[in-house]
Amino acid sequence: MNAFIPRNAIMLAIVAIVLLILIGSTFSIVPETKQGVVVRFGEPVYIVNAYKPNETFGNTGAGLYGRIPFTDQMVWIDKRIQSVEMERQQVLSTDQLRLQVDAFARYRITDPLRMYIAAGSEERVSDALKPILGSSLRNELGKRPFASLLSPERGEVMQNIETSLNRVARQYGAQVIDVRIKKADLPDGTPLQSAFERMRTARDQEARTIRAEGAKQAQLIRADADASAAKVYAAAYGQDPKFYDFYRAMQAYSTTFSPNARGQTSVILSADNDFLREFKGGR
Amino acid sequence: MTLVERWRRGSRLAMNENSPWGGSGGSDGGGRGGGNSGGGNGPRNPWSRPSGEEPPGRDPRGPSAVEELIRRARTIFGDGLPGGPDGRTIWVYVALGVAAIWLATTCVHRIGPQERGIVTFFGSFSRTLTPGIGLTLPEPLESVKVIDVEEIRVVDIGSTGDAEKLVLTGDQNIIDLAYSVRWNVKNSELYAFQIADPDKTIAEVAESAMRAVIATVTLNEALGAGRTGIEENVRARMQEILDGYRAGVSVQGVAIKQADPPDAVNDAFKEVSAAQQTAQTYLNEARAYAQQLNSKAQGEAAAFDKVYVQYKLAPEVTRRRMYYETMEQVLSGIDKTIVEANGVTPYLPLSEVNRRPQPARPEVEAQP
């Protein structure tokens, strides 16, 4: 009796493992995020949980599926939106400007059967789309001047690329949802440096303009001040020019010959001088 | 030998012997636990034997491991199990215990107030668990994925320590940009099932949207005044794109953390602000001059007016008075030489003049 137990346990374990393998190869849980192609001896037989537009989760084909064990194999294909990224590429615009462009496309496999026949695996779809994305991007951007990339026209460019990419994607059972340029930069080295140089000179120009404008404004302010001062003087002195002449001369003498003025002053007076008229005694 | 040490020894032995039960985790522990407690400290229990008394059969190089295992199993199970001599009972208990743990951990789910639980029945979406305790069927039938919907997640893009993130503006200039995007999950089902890599998708969409928006504004707008507008535009654009993917994500906001000219041209930009300061300085100086000049003119004009009013009352006297006063003031402080004789050639005492320290100003003849 005692000797029987372990043997029984080992037997049970073996049976359980066999059963598990059998269940595992008979039933598949198809999640919402995946679609499956059931392949019998290399030939696709049917599709489970295929993508349909605008389906609500819970009413999709996801769930438990049974199949013939060992002969039927399930090939899983992602049902979600996936991304294909294009590596940095140099693109030449019509105005001979080089640009480094990064782009990405979002796609979804809508026809798993076609995808399985045409590509075999998901990686190969993305591998196939990558060069197409690059070349259609280059074609499209090569038809336009650089400036159009920096304008609302960009949307149209993307639309065209999406269309041409979709043409290829459809052959692989995929549908491109969106194409976008991530970066459009000037390449490192000379183009970037010259762009910096341009920015620098533009700033320099701006700085000089600002300074010159400031100087001009200052000049105007000074001129205005001079003019208004002249006006004030003229209004006052114009009342009696002769008196002004005398008045101003007196001021000038006292400033010029004052002991505080620079230098020494010696005066040689003639006796005929008006100041000395009385000096001679009542004549 | 303490109990712990014994346990350790036991498990090490079991591993050494490649026990077929070793793989079945819980049942192994349970079985041995039951055996140990049942056996107590009776002399027949192999676990309580001091190590020194171990028979040579315990040596790993002794009889085969399987044989040893069988022998030990017989010893354990044959020795006073609560269910009697039938060893199967323990397996039933173990199985029930495992099943109970299994059910407890996979049927009852605690969903926090900020979370939602996505329940799938054999992979097919069945319902969303709201905060509280949620009950589901056990694991292979229904599984639950918990998603935090309230937490605001932040994606940082741009120069935070690493290289500059240079972005082209609409006027073909380049700025160095750093920004962050705040988002949370709007629709947990879409978020769970629709997008292959949500975080990466959001980062890429953010970058694309930001560059598209920056490409429509000028450098000056991007550097200063236009920031708020740019942030709002990017947010709206991102939301539009993500809704187009049905990503189930809500973009809460985009914040530009830094929008600077690139390092290479930063000096030139500083030069501009320096120029603005210089221009302002010019203006200030000119204004000061203008004020000064105006005041002076007004003061002088007013003084003249006042004197003139008096002068008009008695022109001749005032004139003479002013003349004498001025001359007096002028001549009192300086050297004077008076040449009187009319017909005599005046002799200039040049030595007198020259005696004065240089530089001397040229002599001036004062005339009224």
Side-chain angles (χ1 to χ4, degrees):
Chain A
M1 169 78 192
N2 273 349
F4 170 75
I5 295 163
R7 211 182 305 150
N8 192 19
I10 291 165
M11 282 291 287
L12 270 174
I14 290 168
V15 169
I17 288 166
V18 168
L19 214 65
L20 272 176
I21 291 172
L22 210 64
I23 291 172
S25 57
T26 310
F27 296 101
S28 311
I29 293 174
V30 180
E32 293 280 4
T33 53
K34 289 207 166 88
Q35 37 196 349
V37 178
V38 178
V39 181
R40 188 172 298 158
F41 300 120
E43 186 198 349
V45 199
Y46 58 94
I47 296 160
V48 292
N49 194 23
Y51 172 77
K52 285 185 232 52
N54 294 324
E55 56 189 352
T56 51
F57 296 109
N59 296 325
T60 57
L64 192 64
Y65 279 87
R67 56 191 157 96
I68 304 168
F70 307 117
T71 62
D72 286 3
Q73 275 181 318
M74 187 73 98
V75 175
W76 294 111
I77 293 162
D78 209 314
K79 199 178 173 182
R80 296 173 296 180
I81 296 176
Q82 296 172 74
S83 141
V84 53
E85 265 184 83
M86 191 195 70
E87 283 154 33
R88 291 208 121 194
Q89 284 219 358
Q90 279 220 352
V91 176
L92 200 64
S93 62
T94 44
D95 40 0
Q96 300 301 308
L97 265 164
R98 271 171 209 288
L99 272 182
Q100 294 264 76
V101 178
D102 272 10
F104 66 84
R106 307 242 163 244
Y107 69 97
R108 187 205 298 274
I109 289 163
T110 50
D111 187 349
L113 184 63
R114 181 160 203 96
M115 184 238 121
Y116 178 70
I117 295 168
S121 71
E122 290 170 73
E123 288 80 49
R124 287 181 45 196
V125 176
S126 118
D127 286 348
L129 288 180
K130 221 176 265 184
I132 310 291
L133 176 60
S135 70
S136 51
L137 193 72
R138 229 170 311 145
N139 287 345
E140 199 56 45
L141 298 186
K143 283 188 248 166
R144 288 160 196 279
F146 170 67
S148 76
L149 269 183
L150 304 172
S151 67
E153 234 182 293
R154 188 162 158 153
E156 192 192 319
V157 177
M158 295 297 105
Q159 201 61 48
N160 288 349
I161 294 170
E162 192 179 319
T163 313
S164 63
L165 191 59
N166 238 334
R167 214 172 295 131
V168 180
R170 221 172 290 132
Q171 297 166 9
Y172 292 98
Q175 186 199 1
V176 175
I177 293 163
D178 194 20
V179 178
R180 279 181 198 274
I181 290 182
K182 205 158 68 167
K183 295 179 197 168
D185 285 343
L186 298 167
D188 284 344
T190 326
L192 191 63
Q193 290 314 316
S194 54
F196 283 155
E197 194 56 43
R198 179 170 52 74
M199 285 176 78
R200 211 175 286 130
T201 48
R203 291 299 120 180
D204 195 39
Q205 182 198 337
E206 192 181 334
R208 284 184 201 202
T209 314
I210 288 169
R211 240 180 252 126
E213 184 66 24
K216 180 186 125 191
Q217 293 295 341
Q219 196 96 43
L220 285 178
I221 289 171
R222 277 167 205 266
D224 277 348
D226 286 341
S228 75
K231 192 177 161 197
V232 170
Y233 283 131
Y237 301 154
Q239 296 171 89
D240 188 342
K242 276 190 77 180
F243 177 65
Y244 166 69
D245 186 52
F246 169 74
Y247 175 80
R248 189 68 186 84
M250 290 303 114
Q251 278 184 344
Y253 294 156
S254 63
T255 318
T256 317
F257 303 121
S258 87
N260 303 328
R262 272 182 301 168
Q264 296 288 332
T265 314
S266 295
V267 181
I268 297 162
L269 293 169
S270 152
D272 294 339
N273 191 299
D274 191 42
F275 182 63
L276 299 176
R277 198 179 53 214
E278 303 300 328
F279 211 58
K280 295 175 179 171
R283 228 192 295 167
Chain B
M1 201 187 206
T2 66
L3 194 64
V4 179
E5 276 172 86
R6 268 178 243 150
W7 268 99
R8 231 181 256 152
R9 262 190 73 79
S11 57
R12 198 174 59 229
L13 265 173
M15 268 183 248
N16 285 348
E17 290 156 4
N18 284 329
S19 155
W21 305 341
S24 54
S27 64
D28 188 32
R32 203 154 297 145
N36 205 8
S37 62
N41 286 329
R44 286 177 65 195
N45 191 333
W47 302 99
S48 57
R49 224 180 275 160
S51 54
E53 293 173 26
E54 273 187 40
R58 292 226 164 251
D59 195 293
R61 284 163 296 179
S64 82
V66 176
E67 225 181 82
E68 163 71 7
L69 194 77
I70 292 168
R71 200 176 63 75
R72 200 195 310 159
R74 199 181 298 152
T75 327
I76 296 167
F77 296 131
D79 183 44
L81 277 171
D86 189 355
R88 287 188 206 199
T89 321
I90 189 69
W91 291 107
V92 173
Y93 285 138
V94 167
L96 282 176
V98 170
I101 293 170
W102 182 256
L103 287 176
T105 50
T106 63
C107 287
V108 184
H109 303 273
R110 194 185 154 274
I111 309 291
Q114 75 285 5
E115 293 168 337
R116 298 287 181 278
I118 304 289
V119 184
T120 48
F121 177 74
F122 280 128
S124 172
F125 172 70
S126 108
R127 63 195 185 277
T128 305
L129 295 180
T130 47
I133 298 292
L135 294 176
T136 61
L137 298 177
E139 178 57 65
L141 305 176
E142 285 194 334
S143 57
V144 175
K145 189 178 172 192
V146 176
I147 292 173
D148 193 331
V149 293
E150 296 293 335
E151 183 200 0
I152 304 283
R153 299 164 210 215
V154 180
V155 185
D156 280 313
I157 301 164
S159 43
T160 39
D162 52 349
E164 294 178 298
K165 200 82 168 183
L166 300 179
V167 182
L168 271 172
T169 62
D171 46 2
Q172 301 194 13
N173 287 310
I174 297 164
I175 60 169
D176 181 13
L177 203 64
Y179 51 98
S180 62
V181 178
R182 287 170 289 118
W183 61 277
N184 66 349
V185 177
K186 182 169 63 175
N187 183 327
S188 43
E189 296 111 68
L190 291 177
Y191 178 74
F193 299 133
Q194 195 64 240
I195 305 282
D197 187 351
D199 299 76
K200 195 174 152 219
T201 304
I202 287 163
E204 278 180 348
V205 167
E207 187 160 8
S208 162
M210 178 57 86
R211 283 172 185 272
V213 171
I214 292 286
T216 60
V217 301
T218 64
L219 177 71
N220 288 337
E221 277 176 316
L223 287 178
R227 275 201 203 187
T228 328
I230 292 168
E231 287 171 354
E232 181 48 34
N233 267 346
V234 172
R235 197 201 62 76
R237 196 178 275 251
M238 279 187 71
Q239 190 66 62
E240 191 187 318
I241 298 170
L242 289 169
D243 285 349
Y245 298 163
R246 298 178 69 218
V249 164
S250 165
V251 180
Q252 296 294 336
V254 176
I256 297 178
K257 289 188 292 186
Q258 179 204 345
D260 288 338
D263 281 348
V265 293
N266 213 355
D267 284 347
F269 276 79
K270 284 184 188 151
E271 186 63 30
V272 171
S273 42
Q276 279 161 348
Q277 301 301 323
T278 313
Q280 202 57 46
T281 310
Y282 289 162
L283 289 183
N284 288 344
E285 281 170 1
R287 285 200 197 98
Y289 167 80
Q291 292 271 313
Q292 211 179 355
L293 193 67
N294 253 333
S295 305
K296 186 165 166 250
Q298 275 161 7
E300 284 177 355
F304 179 81
D305 280 349
K306 288 208 153 71
V307 173
Y308 183 63
V309 169
Q310 298 309 316
Y311 166 78
K312 267 212 303 206
L313 294 178
E316 197 47 43
V317 172
T318 311
R319 195 185 167 94
R320 286 315 295 175
R321 179 185 58 80
M322 285 174 76
Y323 175 69
Y324 285 130
E325 276 175 6
T326 308
M327 290 322 257
E328 186 180 51
Q329 188 207 337
V330 166
L331 293 175
S332 63
I334 54 179
D335 292 333
K336 299 159 281 279
T337 307
I338 300 170
V339 183
E340 199 173 345
N342 240 350
V344 177
T345 309
Y347 167 69
L348 286 176
L350 286 176
S351 58
E352 280 288 304
V353 175
N354 288 341
R355 193 191 50 178
R356 314 201 165 280
Q358 297 296 328
R361 302 200 99 187
E363 302 91 296
V364 177
E365 190 167 348
Q367 291 284 340

